[in-house]
Amino acid sequence: MTAARVHVARDHEAASRAAAEEFVRQIADRSRNATTFVALSGGSTPKRMYQMLAGDEFRPMVTWGQVHFFWSDERPVPPTDPDSNYRMASEALLQPLGIAPGQIHRMRGEDLDLPAAARAYEEEMARAFGVQWKSHPPRFDLVLLGLGADGHTASLFPRTVALQERRHWVVANPVPQLRTTRLTMTYPVLNAARCVLFLVTGRDKAEAVARVFSPTGAVEEVPARGVCPHDGELVWFLDEAAARRLDG
Ligand code: 6PG
């Protein structure tokens, strides 16, 4: 596993703030001079961090007009659905920042043909990065990820087929344990990033965090273990509750 920087903060608020500081540290300089690419995580944990980034303290630190926003995964719901990862980030971050539509690249979770939606998202990524999708995976400046209590990240769930994908950047991943199929970025894209930032808080994640950092354990069972940026940084922000099973 790539050597990770691990920061443990007192609680969810402190961990969110530390993660927001890292988010800015990772992209502030680049955004002043170049188009900057960020993949947002879903779920509920990052909402407070997103709100902070859009707030008076952090907002002025980034040239947001240069930042393009993608998602690491999306549920099979419309963008107006309470479960939509797009909706949460749009309400907490993108709308408050006034991000232009051309900078927002939403996964079409509502499409009935999710494999086609995955292909379309790869094409959109290729256009935004100015590459051919059959080339090497695009290199995101920053990928934000969360961790499920079962060890999943993005929508890479234990024992699902997307864990084996080495060519496509985005796939429709059947998740039998949830009786659903989700769109998700794959390890080739996640591991091409300049920086991957995990934000994980709460007692219910302590076991999964311990399994990620255990010296043994199969990626198949703990998919977050498979996130190891080849030539980039891996940073974890935890609160004390989520870190309580870590040694040392
Ligand atoms: C999703 C996320 C997923 C999330 C974890 C943690 O669509 O659910 O992308 O990987 O990060 O499930 O979710 P919470 O932050 O809600 O605990």
Side-chain angles (χ1 to χ4, degrees):
M1 178 173 172
T2 299
R5 280 193 285 132
V6 181
H7 300 264
V8 180
R10 185 179 56 260
D11 55 22
H12 176 71
E13 182 78 4
S16 300
R17 180 182 176 74
E21 290 168 349
E22 184 70 24
F23 183 111
V24 169
R25 190 164 32 250
Q26 287 293 335
I27 69 164
D29 290 346
R30 184 172 180 84
S31 70
R32 272 193 281 278
N33 307 306
T35 303
T36 305
F37 297 93
V38 172
L40 299 175
S41 62
S44 55
T45 302
K47 183 171 183 177
R48 184 67 187 114
M49 176 183 69
Y50 293 164
Q51 291 168 335
M52 290 176 174
L53 287 168
D56 293 344
E57 180 184 357
F58 290 100
R59 179 189 185 123
M61 299 177 182
V62 174
T63 308
W64 296 105
Q66 292 264 58
V67 182
H68 281 248
F69 294 91
F70 292 78
W71 276 259
S72 63
D73 67 318
E74 187 56 275
R75 291 90 180 269
V77 296
T80 53
D81 191 290
D83 280 348
S84 164
N85 289 336
Y86 162 81
R87 174 176 164 178
M88 186 275 279
S90 177
E91 290 176 348
L93 180 67
L94 305 181
Q95 289 176 45
L97 287 176
I99 301 295
Q103 294 170 241
I104 300 171
H105 306 275
R106 182 177 70 82
M107 287 182 167
R108 294 182 53 85
E110 70 275 24
D111 285 0
L112 293 179
D113 185 346
L114 287 177
R119 297 293 76 78
Y121 203 65
E122 285 177 329
E123 295 292 350
E124 180 160 356
M125 284 168 71
R127 277 194 303 276
F129 279 86
V131 298
Q132 292 297 318
W133 98 254
K134 295 186 187 337
S135 69
H136 294 297
R139 192 166 195 214
F140 278 87
D141 297 294
L142 180 60
V143 172
L144 302 178
L145 292 175
L147 179 71
D150 62 355
H152 83 262
T153 191
S155 282
L156 298 169
F157 284 81
R159 301 175 301 284
T160 57
V161 292
L163 302 182
Q164 312 309 324
E165 181 59 49
R166 293 295 177 269
R167 194 166 65 92
H168 282 287
W169 306 345
V170 181
V171 295
N173 188 28
V175 185
Q177 51 268 55
L178 297 181
R179 295 190 181 83
T180 189
T181 296
R182 290 193 176 181
L183 292 170
T184 187
M185 285 184 182
T186 58
Y187 288 129
V189 174
L190 301 179
N191 288 332
R194 293 182 196 283
C195 178
V196 174
L197 189 165
F198 277 90
L199 174 59
V200 184
T201 62
R203 288 177 65 86
D204 63 320
K205 304 295 176 69
E207 174 67 24
V209 168
R211 293 174 70 202
V212 169
F213 285 94
S214 158
T216 58
V219 169
E220 193 74 9
E221 295 300 327
V222 190
R225 287 173 68 88
V227 178
C228 318
H230 307 309
D231 182 20
E233 291 184 69
L234 177 58
V235 195
W236 285 73
F237 288 89
L238 307 169
D239 67 358
E240 288 173 359
R244 66 191 180 89
R245 296 285 303 273
L246 286 181
D247 301 329

